[in-house]
């Protein structure tokens, strides 16, 4: 169930926390990214600051959690909800290229980190 806390900055999440995923016996990988580093952030607002976290089930190669903190991140949580509920495999998900330059470019950045490490 997606959740949004309309604070400043907004907090949005869907899926299990990393701790809950591990407690459920999943072998996970946590991938973090600075939202302010995507090209669309500078178009969205001067000094945009935010954070994204994706938790991947390493055995099934699907996302089990996605969390964001930053201005207007509520707009990004629906795509993560679809990926999690639909159990979309990462290899298929990455063909859904986000519009550039937008903050949703974070999907591509997370994929690079998930694939090639930090």
């Amino acid at each position: 169930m997606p959740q949004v806390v309309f604070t400043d900055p907004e907090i949005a999440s869907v899926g299990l926390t990393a701790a809950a995923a591990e407690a459920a016996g999943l072998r996970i990988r946590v991938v973090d990214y600075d939202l302010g580093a995507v090209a669309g952030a500078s178009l969205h607002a001067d000094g945009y600051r935010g954070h994204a976290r994706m938790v991947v089930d390493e055995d099934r190669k699907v996302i089990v959690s996605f969390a964001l903190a930053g201005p207007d991140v509520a707009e990004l949580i629906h795509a993560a909800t679809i990926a999690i509920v639909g159990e979309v495999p990462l290899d298929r998900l990455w063909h859904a290229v986000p519009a550039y330059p937008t903050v949703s470019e974070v999907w591509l950045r997370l994929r690079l980190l998930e694939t090639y490490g930090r």
Side-chain angles (χ1 to χ4, degrees):
M1 186 66 110
Q3 306 171 58
V4 178
V5 180
F6 292 98
T7 55
D8 186 14
E10 290 178 0
I11 308 294
S13 66
V14 62
L16 302 171
T17 63
E22 285 181 328
L26 299 179
R27 190 171 62 89
I28 64 166
R29 178 176 178 148
V30 175
V31 184
D32 291 306
Y33 197 77
D34 173 10
L35 278 178
V38 298
S42 63
L43 293 175
H44 188 76
D46 289 337
Y48 187 101
R49 293 180 59 198
H51 185 82
R53 170 171 280 187
M54 177 176 73
V55 179
V56 176
D57 176 334
E58 285 288 278
D59 294 325
R60 295 182 302 140
K61 292 296 186 188
V62 296
I63 299 169
V64 294
S65 174
F66 202 83
L68 303 131
D72 301 320
V73 295
E75 298 300 325
L76 299 172
I77 203 65
H78 188 68
T81 302
I82 292 169
I84 292 169
V85 171
E87 297 183 337
V88 179
L90 290 175
D91 287 344
R92 180 171 297 143
L93 182 63
W94 305 131
H95 292 285
V97 177
Y100 179 86
T102 64
V103 178
S104 64
E105 177 194 347
V106 70
W107 283 98
L108 296 176
R109 304 300 179 151
L110 288 166
R111 172 60 174 154
L112 290 171
L113 286 172
E114 191 276 328
T115 302
Y116 301 109
R118 299 178 204 276

